[in-house]
Amino acid sequence: MYEIRLHSRGGQGGVTAAKLIAQAAFLDGKYATATPLYGAERRGAPVVSFIRIDDKPIRIYSQIRKPDLVIVLDTSIMQTVDVLAGLKADGKVLVNSQHPMELGSHKVYHTDLTGIALSLDLVLAGNPILNTPLLGAVAKAGIISRESAQKAISSVFADDRNTKAAVKAFEDMEP
Amino acid sequence: MLTFSTGNKAVATAVKDAKTVVVAAYPITPQTEVVEETANNVASGALKARYIPVESEHSSMGACIGAAATGVRTFTATSSHGLVYMCEQIHMSAAARLPIVMANANRALGPGWNIGAEHTDSMSMRDSGWLQAYVSTVQEAYDTTLMAFRIAENENVLLPVMINLDGFLLTHITQPMDTIDDLGDYLPPTNTPHAIDINNPGGYGTLTPPTEHFKFRHDIQRGMKDSVAVIEDAQADFAKRFGRTYGMYEEYLCDDADVVIVAAGTLAKESEVAADILRKEGIKAGVLRIRWLRPFPDLTAALKGKDVVVIDRDYSFGLGGILVNEIRTKALEAFIGKDGKANLPFSVIAGLGGQEVTYDDIADFVRNRKSGGELWFGVTE
C-alpha cells in the first residue's frame, strides 16, 4: 500500500486534489481511497487529506501515520505543522515551491504550482488553483500515470487550462 | 458503471437510480452532500421527483409521512441532532407502517459540540419500529440504499428503513463504486395497501382503544420478524442479478477463530486488518460485522465457544455499550460453556465523537481482552 498525506490550507483545493490523485490511481487500475480530515477548519486554516493506493481493496479508515509521500501545497504551513511527522525513512516530499528545499535525508521534489496557475490565469475567488497542476507533478513523481492524471482532471473540470497546468507541472518538475 | 464516489454521493445516486418520487430533506453536516446531490439531480431532470425543501427535520419527516401515505417512493436523509429532532415523526412513520427510506450520517450528539462519527444517534431510535442497516463501504451504501426501498415497500414489512453511514469516515471518503445501469424489475412499483385513495375515503390515525392499539403493536413486531426473510430474499436476488453478496451480518475469518471481534460500520472493516495482524502472531482472530441492527440477527451459532470482543461506537448510560448488550441478550447461550461457566464478551467503548481508532488499537483490545470486562478506550480512571 502506498500512502500519501497532503497538507494545504482551507480554500486551496487540497480535498479536491486528494480525490483527483486517488481517482487517477483508480483509472490506472488500482484500488484507491481519498479522505479529508475534517475539524473546525475554515478558509486559510491548515487542512490534511489522505490518499491510499493499493492492489487490493482498502479496509483502513483511520488516519495515515507513516506516509510514503507528503505533499505540501503551502510551505508556510511548515512553520506551525510538523509535515514530516511519521514520514518513512525512505519517504519523499513534494512541495509547492519555486526553490529546492532540503528536508533531512528525504528526497524532495519541488515545483512552482502557484506560478503555473497564475501564468494560465487559473484563479478561483482570488486564489490560484493548485490541485490540477499538482496532478502533473504527482505523475512526474511516478505515483500515477500522466494519462490517468489528465483523464481525472477532465472528468471534473471542463476548462482545458487545468490539463494544460498539469502538463506544465509535469514538464517543469525535476524527477 | 464503474465510478469514483463519496459515501454521500453513493446514497444520492441510489436514490436517483431507484426513481424515488418524493424527497423532503434538510441539510446537516456531514449528510449535506446527499441533499445537495439529490437537489441537483432533481434540478437537472436526472431524477424526476418532487423535491420539498423544509425548515427542519421534524418537517422533513412530516412531509415524507404525507408523501408515503399516498403510496409513492419516499426518501430523506439526516444526521445526529437532525435525527433526534425528528424523533416524534420517526415513531409516527413506523407506527403508520409507511415504507420511507432514510440515510443517517452517524454523528455525535452535543454538547460538547462534536461532529465526529458516533452510533448513539441512530441506536437511540432502535425501539421505534424502523429497520436499521449499518454499512461499511461506499459500494455497500449504494447497494443497501437500493435494497432498502424493496425491503421497506414489501407488503410483509411495510416499515421504514434507515441506512447508517459513519459520519465523515464513510460519508466523505472517496472509493471506487460500481453503479447499476439497469435495475430491471429488482425494485417493483410501490403498492402500499393502505395508501390514501380519494375515491375510497377512510380514517387515518384515529383514536384507538387499548385492544386495537395492542394488535397494531403486535403487527409491527410481526412485520419486523417477517422482514428477516424479505431482507434475505432482497440480498440473495441482488447477488444473483448484480453479483454482490450481503448477509444479515458479515463474517471475516470466523470459522476457525478463537476470538471474534464484533463491530458495526467502518470500525468493523478496520478490524479485519487487526485480525490479519493478530493471526500473524498466532492469535486466531475473526470479525463479525453487524449489518442489520433491526431486525437483530441471531448470533448464537456464530459466536458459540468463541472469545468475543465487542466494539461499541455508542453507549447507553446506566447500562453499557448498546451492541454488546444486544448481543448478550440475543446470543446468551453462546457464552455459556458445557461446564456451565460463562465466558462473556469483552466490551470496548471506542470511537465516540470520531475518536481515532486504528487497526493497531483494535489488535490491542483483543490482546488485552477480559471476559465480561468493559474498557473505555483512552480513558484512565
Side-chain angles (χ1 to χ4, degrees):
Chain A
M1 179 145 41
Y2 195 82
E3 298 186 304
I4 307 171
R5 190 173 64 216
L6 194 157
H7 296 268
S8 59
R9 290 192 182 276
Q12 286 184 327
V15 173
T16 304
K19 276 190 198 181
L20 287 172
I21 293 167
Q23 188 172 356
F26 168 63
L27 291 169
D28 283 337
K30 304 277 179 60
Y31 287 95
T33 62
T35 318
L37 177 61
Y38 277 88
E41 80 278 16
R42 60 218 159 265
R43 192 161 281 268
V47 183
V48 179
S49 303
F50 304 109
I51 303 126
R52 286 187 167 96
I53 303 169
D54 205 352
D55 295 325
K56 48 187 193 298
I58 296 160
R59 302 170 293 176
I60 304 174
Y61 289 84
S62 54
Q63 297 167 26
I64 291 174
R65 298 296 169 105
K66 292 171 188 164
D68 298 280
L69 174 70
V70 166
I71 299 172
V72 184
L73 284 186
D74 187 335
T75 52
S76 71
I77 288 172
M78 295 161 85
Q79 292 166 20
T80 53
V81 177
D82 178 11
V83 299
L84 301 181
L87 181 62
K88 285 180 182 162
D90 60 348
K92 298 173 183 175
V93 186
L94 195 165
V95 291
N96 170 25
S97 167
Q98 289 177 320
H99 312 289
M101 286 177 97
E102 268 196 39
L103 296 166
S105 58
H106 296 290
K107 160 82 179 169
V108 183
Y109 301 101
H110 76 280
T111 174
D112 181 15
L113 301 174
T114 308
I116 291 169
L118 292 174
S119 72
L120 289 160
D121 200 22
L122 206 54
V123 175
L124 187 70
N127 289 323
I129 293 172
L130 306 177
N131 47 29
T132 50
L134 173 67
L135 252 70
V138 174
K140 188 67 167 278
I143 316 297
I144 52 176
S145 72
R146 188 178 164 155
E147 296 70 32
S148 295
Q150 287 187 323
K151 265 191 214 164
I153 292 170
S154 27
S155 76
V156 180
F157 299 101
D159 189 333
D160 69 354
R161 284 178 301 170
N162 288 291
T163 44
K164 276 183 189 154
V167 169
K168 190 150 173 36
F170 185 92
E171 285 165 357
D172 282 6
M173 195 176 90
E174 286 175 33
Chain B
M1 189 176 69
L2 204 52
T3 60
F4 208 54
S5 171
T6 60
N8 276 336
K9 196 176 169 187
V11 171
T13 307
V15 168
K16 169 178 72 66
D17 291 352
K19 297 187 170 59
T20 306
V21 176
V22 173
V23 178
Y26 190 84
I28 177 170
T29 302
Q31 148 271 37
T32 306
E33 194 190 4
V34 179
V35 178
E36 284 175 348
E37 188 70 17
T38 301
N40 280 340
N41 285 337
V42 173
S44 73
L47 173 62
K48 287 177 182 54
R50 173 78 185 274
Y51 183 88
I52 307 173
V54 284
E55 85 293 353
S56 77
E57 287 84 357
H58 189 274
S59 298
S60 71
M61 188 51 73
C64 287
I65 287 171
T70 70
V72 299
R73 185 162 292 156
T74 306
F75 173 82
T76 188
T78 192
S79 175
S80 182
H81 285 264
L83 181 70
V84 295
Y85 189 27
M86 64 168 68
C87 179
E88 181 199 24
Q89 305 280 42
I90 294 274
H91 284 264
M92 185 117 173
S93 50
R97 306 303 298 268
L98 296 171
I100 297 160
V101 171
M102 171 163 68
N104 178 57
N106 287 112
R107 176 189 127 176
L109 292 155
W113 213 243
N114 178 299
I115 55 173
E118 187 171 324
H119 294 158
T120 313
D121 57 355
S122 52
M123 289 192 183
S124 76
M125 301 294 159
R126 68 194 185 279
D127 302 337
S128 63
W130 277 67
L131 279 69
Q132 283 198 26
Y134 289 75
V135 298
S136 63
T137 65
V138 169
Q139 183 70 61
E140 191 187 4
Y142 173 81
D143 294 345
T144 308
T145 304
L146 288 174
M147 289 176 199
F149 288 107
R150 169 156 153 167
I151 295 161
E153 292 162 6
N154 185 287
E155 60 178 357
N156 293 327
V157 179
L158 290 170
L159 287 168
V161 177
M162 189 189 304
I163 303 123
N164 292 284
L165 299 80
D166 285 339
F168 295 109
L169 294 167
L170 187 54
T171 57
H172 282 61
I173 199 170
T174 312
Q175 292 176 340
M177 173 177 81
D178 198 6
T179 58
I180 299 163
D181 299 327
D182 180 10
L183 280 170
D185 56 359
Y186 181 75
L187 288 182
T190 51
N191 182 21
T192 311
H194 56 306
I196 290 171
D197 177 1
I198 54 167
N199 298 315
N200 184 20
Y204 288 82
T206 54
L207 199 61
T208 312
T211 45
E212 298 302 317
H213 176 86
F214 202 86
K215 279 186 205 162
F216 284 146
R217 288 299 169 271
H218 184 252
D219 270 351
I220 293 177
Q221 172 52 15
R222 192 157 56 193
M224 193 58 91
K225 205 172 157 193
D226 290 350
S227 74
V228 175
V230 175
I231 291 169
E232 282 172 348
D233 174 66
Q235 292 179 156
D237 193 29
F238 193 92
K240 200 171 133 200
R241 289 172 190 246
F242 312 121
R244 290 187 291 274
T245 308
Y246 297 96
M248 291 299 294
Y249 52 89
E250 299 280 325
E251 289 179 292
Y252 178 73
L253 305 179
C254 282
D255 282 354
D256 70 337
D258 296 324
V259 53
V260 174
I261 308 162
V262 184
T266 56
L267 270 178
K269 275 282 159 204
E270 186 101 11
S271 296
E272 293 183 6
V273 181
D276 290 346
I277 292 169
L278 290 162
R279 276 181 179 257
K280 281 183 191 144
E281 293 172 13
I283 300 171
K284 281 193 192 166
V287 181
L288 190 151
R289 180 168 68 83
I290 299 289
R291 204 173 110 76
W292 289 93
L293 183 85
R294 286 291 183 276
F296 198 83
D298 188 342
L299 305 175
T300 311
L303 299 180
K304 183 92 185 159
K306 318 268 190 197
D307 282 8
V308 175
V309 176
V310 182
I311 309 175
D312 271 286
R313 195 190 270 280
D314 55 78
Y315 205 72
S316 175
F317 299 109
L319 178 67
I322 294 170
L323 265 187
V324 74
N325 277 288
E326 306 255 307
I327 290 163
R328 277 177 190 151
T329 306
K330 280 289 275 189
L332 182 64
E333 287 169 24
F335 308 120
I336 313 294
K338 281 180 190 144
D339 54 3
K341 281 187 187 159
N343 180 15
L344 295 172
F346 178 48
S347 166
V348 179
I349 313 303
L352 305 189
Q355 181 196 35
E356 174 78 346
V357 184
T358 69
Y359 47 83
D360 283 330
D361 299 325
I362 296 167
D364 270 345
F365 301 157
V366 172
R367 292 184 195 112
N368 302 324
R369 65 191 182 279
K370 290 181 194 75
S371 170
E374 182 184 275
L375 168 78
W376 280 69
F377 174 52
V379 175
T380 45
E381 297 287 336

